Amino acid sequence: MKKRTINMKKSLAIAVAAAMMLGICPTAAPVNAADSDYKYVYASLDWAEYWQNENVYLASGSTLKSSSEEADARGEYDKGAFDVVTRATKNHGLHRGSFQCDAVIRDTDGKAYEISYWTSEEVSAKDENGQDTTKKVVYAVLTDGSKIQFDKGTITYTENGETKTATMEDYEVKGIKYVPVAVKTEDYADFCKKYSVTEDASAIEGGYTEKALKAYTKTAEVTADTNGLKVATKNADGTYSFAARKTGSNSGIKNEAQKTVDETKIVKTVRSADDAETYGAFIRVDLTGDAYGDLGANMQTVRWDYYGNDSTYTNKLATYGTKFAADNWMHKSMGVQLGLTKSLRCQLPEGTDGTGYWKVTVYALGYQDYTFEVQATSENIVSDNKGDEKVDTTELQKVVDEAKKLVKADYTASSWASFETELAEAEDELKTPHTQATVNEAIAHLQNAIKDLVKVQKETETKTPETKTDINNDKNNQTQTAYKAKVKLNSVKNTKGRKAVLKWKKVKNADGYVVYRATKKNGKYAAVKTINKGKTVTFTNKKLKKGKTYYYKIKAYKKVNGKKALGQFSAVKSVKIKK
């Protein structure tokens, strides 16, 4: 009986997959009999659809999708209503939009790449001196399951078996990709044709893992009690409207209880006016502390309620909706940044200036709504009457100059890649400084990236029981005299008795060789044998551990004034000890 149940599940899964391939929207099971008139799923909604019935501010004469041609302090066009957020930058944090947003990269040929999440890997490469090293390669996994490589605006993808490249034009953040919705059963097939839908038992995924921010893959399980649920209604013209979100106690994620924010692990800071302006906002609140990472990775959007001078939070003057990238952002190590931009979606009530009392509510996937209160003073609000501002880039130039003195080979590929991104952003700001605030932001980000650089462990010649006589004295017997000889390591083989036998090609005029070993390809290599004859081209490493993999490389040396001048490393070869 148990086996039959498993087979039935497999058959159902195959049928569902086949239906989806044909463009047919499979039937989602109702949660219970009382809810049989509705299907409960996740749907991707644009910003206008999400906020349309949330009673948020919209400038008179505007539509929810109205845009603006007026640039903000950063030179970005974020002053519209709930239109698509567009970015042209090729360097900074594109992957953060994929955590909870419907994000698309477009290239100069008009091709669109719908992003699901980002990933990266360390691959073998050659450094400037031709030595073996690694580099970090970043990929975007698309919603259709395919993958593109992305490197500062250069896109590499495969089409019909052929590898092609393209250049990024811009990046769009269209809305929220996992909004829990209830759709009438009779409308469900039509709804699936018009919206990207994620059903129960399907994967929900997004993001990119770096420091406090973690990519995720979870399983959807939307019910009538899922927090943030919106009821979809089909209009006479065939479009859909979405009701105000409902508060619920269900997480919407299989086998996960609804999360709450631990207030003891969150630090809330109302930033200065200068700090707010770095994001083009007029007010900014940062969330830092030990718990911000998970909240940031799951943050979908934010609502602000303004009470003016009412410290009792009784008489609300206005409510504002926001958009990710335009108003809200998060950083891998510097916290979550929540802001409001003066725009078609946010104008202060007449007679107020933004000072006073605010409630801020973060809506996050799998979380109970997180609401907190803040008070803003004139020091926290960007003034509309700043006049002509003189921008001083002296300090930024100093930090950039110091950053350029750093040597890539001294740091891990992953930390260097992040550093390079921030350095490129800082150099862009130097060329075209927007405001003193954006210059100060570039300084802070670059300094933080420098602090986060991770030093590589240099190869050192350490003694082992097998070779201590020769190796103990090697450090004192070496010279910095250039010696460019490079060994060709032909083979490393496992022989009976837990041994590894190395063979290499003789280097002309070499006086000997040093054999290095590690337990990881890019790990710390230690010298395990110094061979004092240039004619010797083999070495047997004994007493190794069965089942373990070892990595080897060799340097030739030549004696110069009584000291050893070491040549270049050979390529790395590995062997697994099986006998």
Side-chain angles (χ1 to χ4, degrees), residues 17 30 47 81 129 161 166 172-173 201 223 247 320 335 343 515 547:
W47 299 116
N129 299 316
E172 294 182 348
V173 182
T223 73
T247 301
Y320 304 104
S343 58
V515 180

Side-chain angles (χ1 to χ4, degrees), residues 164-286:
K164 297 183 177 182
T165 60
T167 301
M168 173 182 158
E169 174 72 21
D170 58 29
Y171 178 77
E172 294 182 348
V173 182
K174 300 193 295 183
I176 303 170
K177 62 181 176 181
Y178 297 127
V179 179
V181 298
V183 187
K184 281 190 175 181
T185 305
E186 62 194 59
D187 297 328
Y188 187 63
D190 177 68
F191 185 84
C192 287
K193 294 176 183 177
K194 297 173 180 177
Y195 290 87
S196 175
V197 170
T198 303
E199 297 189 320
D200 283 359
S202 299
I204 52 176
E205 51 197 352
Y208 178 69
T209 295
E210 50 175 2
K211 292 191 175 292
L213 302 175
K214 308 296 181 186
Y216 65 91
T217 298
K218 301 178 182 181
T219 302
E221 190 173 70
V222 181
T223 73
D225 192 38
T226 295
N227 193 36
L229 184 76
K230 285 177 168 285
V231 177
T233 300
K234 189 174 183 180
N235 303 316
D237 62 358
T239 61
Y240 287 84
S241 297
F242 298 87
R245 65 192 304 279
K246 295 182 178 181
T247 301
S249 59
N250 176 267
S251 70
I253 301 168
K254 188 174 182 179
N255 298 326
E256 279 194 21
Q258 189 180 77
K259 297 178 183 178
T260 58
V261 173
D262 185 346
E263 284 281 0
T264 66
K265 295 182 178 180
I266 286 284
V267 179
K268 301 177 285 289
T269 306
V270 185
R271 300 297 295 267
S272 69
D274 282 348
D275 291 336
E277 195 175 19
T278 62
Y279 286 88
F282 73 88
I283 184 173
R284 171 179 160 187
V285 176
D286 282 10

Side-chain angles (χ1 to χ4, degrees), residues 332-573:
K332 61 185 178 182
S333 59
M334 297 173 70
V336 175
Q337 295 89 35
L338 310 177
L340 273 181
T341 306
K342 286 186 178 178
S343 58
L344 298 181
R345 64 188 176 278
C346 177
Q347 293 293 327
L348 292 169
E350 188 174 351
T352 66
D353 60 4
T355 60
Y357 299 89
W358 294 83
K359 279 188 180 180
V360 184
T361 301
V362 179
Y363 298 144
L365 179 70
Y367 271 81
Q368 181 183 97
D369 297 346
Y370 175 48
T371 300
F372 58 91
E373 299 171 353
V374 295
Q375 181 182 5
T377 69
S378 59
E379 293 182 353
N380 307 121
I381 304 297
V382 177
S383 171
D384 290 331
N385 302 307
K386 295 188 67 173
D388 293 332
E389 180 185 39
K390 183 178 180 180
V391 180
D392 184 357
T393 61
T394 305
E395 183 62 26
L396 178 58
Q397 184 68 64
K398 288 180 181 178
V399 178
V400 168
D401 290 343
E402 287 301 313
K404 286 184 173 181
K405 294 177 183 177
L406 299 174
V407 179
K408 182 177 181 179
D410 291 341
Y411 303 95
T412 62
S414 178
S415 66
W416 186 264
S418 297
F419 161 77
E420 278 189 317
T421 296
E422 297 295 354
L423 177 57
E425 289 282 318
E427 290 182 305
D428 287 346
E429 186 65 25
L430 266 180
K431 292 176 185 175
T432 313
H434 296 93
T435 66
Q436 189 61 53
T438 57
V439 168
N440 293 343
E441 179 203 21
I443 293 170
H445 277 247
L446 182 54
Q447 288 175 331
N448 190 71
I450 293 171
K451 183 184 71 174
D452 286 344
L453 282 170
V454 178
K455 285 265 191 181
V456 296
Q457 292 182 321
K458 299 290 186 180
E459 289 87 358
T460 57
E461 298 189 3
T462 58
K463 63 182 180 180
T464 66
E466 184 176 19
T467 61
K468 60 184 178 182
T469 302
D470 285 331
I471 296 173
N472 278 351
N473 297 319
D474 264 0
K475 191 171 183 180
N476 294 327
N477 290 332
Q478 291 174 12
T479 177
Q480 298 300 315
T481 302
Y483 182 51
K484 297 182 179 180
K486 185 174 182 179
V487 179
K488 181 180 180 181
L489 179 55
N490 292 325
S491 65
V492 182
K493 294 182 179 180
N494 175 213
T495 60
K496 191 173 181 180
R498 295 180 288 118
K499 301 174 185 176
V501 178
L502 288 72
K503 294 183 179 180
W504 59 91
K505 185 176 180 180
K506 180 179 178 295
V507 175
K508 186 177 180 180
N509 297 324
D511 291 319
Y513 307 90
V514 181
V515 180
Y516 298 82
R517 185 185 73 199
T519 54
K520 293 181 180 179
K521 184 175 182 180
N522 299 313
K524 182 177 180 179
Y525 282 79
V528 294
K529 181 67 176 179
T530 298
I531 296 168
N532 294 317
K533 291 183 179 180
K535 294 181 180 180
T536 301
V537 291
T538 184
F539 165 64
T540 300
N541 197 186
K542 303 174 182 178
K543 298 180 181 180
L544 301 175
K545 291 184 179 180
K546 193 172 182 179
K548 199 171 187 67
T549 299
Y550 294 88
Y551 298 83
Y552 294 89
K553 53 186 178 180
I554 303 174
K555 281 184 177 182
Y557 72 82
K558 187 172 182 63
K559 289 184 178 179
V560 179
N561 297 324
K563 293 194 175 184
K564 293 173 181 157
L566 294 172
Q568 300 180 53
F569 274 119
S570 69
V572 174
K573 287 191 178 294

